[in-house]
Amino acid sequence: LEFTATFVAQQFHYVGFSVGFDDTLGDGWFLIGRGNQDAADNRVFARPPRSLGSDVSIGTLTNQQYRIDLFKTIIKFFVNGTEIKNITTNPVPMHVIVSDYFGPGSLTVDSLQISQYKYSTEGNYTSKVFDMGRVVSWGAFEW
């Protein structure tokens, strides 16, 4: 999930992945935004579930490009292309959410893009072996 946004000094403004907003959800969110910070606090946070760590300050309320990479066993948070935090976990299925729950003032999301996992360009592949049950000569191979 990649997005460009400007957060305001209000509580519970988020963009990210979540199964909901109930505090009892356990490992049910990976968000960027503001929790219950005081309005005088002008920071934006990467918010993993409480069971996986505490919020990490990742910038201020200025317009920034954010990204959350959700992999099978790791979550990565980015600001302006720089990785800020990663968490090893096994996430549950989630939805993309945008929330400006408290007002006045609004969260502004200028762009939001959801992309599939970027597969590695490196790796090894071992071809499957088929056994004819007897010795045979190769014929023509076409691709």
Side-chain angles (χ1 to χ4, degrees), residues 47-94:
R47 291 203 71 206
R50 290 186 191 111
S51 64
L52 297 177
S54 58
D55 294 357
V56 175
S57 177
I58 60 172
T60 62
L61 300 176
T62 59
N63 186 273
Q64 306 279 342
Q65 182 179 26
Y66 301 98
R67 190 172 91 216
I68 304 172
D69 287 349
L70 181 67
F71 297 101
K72 187 175 181 178
T73 60
I74 193 167
I75 308 298
K76 296 182 178 185
F77 292 91
F78 296 81
V79 178
N80 297 323
T82 302
E83 184 177 329
I84 303 298
K85 182 171 182 71
N86 67 61
I87 301 165
T88 302
T89 184
N90 292 310
V92 298
M94 296 185 213

Side-chain angles (χ1 to χ4, degrees), residues 10 13 22 42 55 70 74 77 83-84 93 96 99 112 119 124 140-141 143:
Q10 294 298 331
H13 286 198
D22 186 339
N42 69 347
D55 294 357
L70 181 67
I74 193 167
F77 292 91
E83 184 177 329
I84 303 298
V96 172
S99 170
L112 187 136
Y119 295 97
N124 295 318
F141 180 79
W143 190 260

Side-chain angles (χ1 to χ4, degrees), residues 127-138:
S127 178
K128 185 170 180 154
V129 177
F130 293 99
D131 186 355
M132 292 290 297
R134 60 186 170 85
V135 177
V136 295
S137 297
W138 278 92

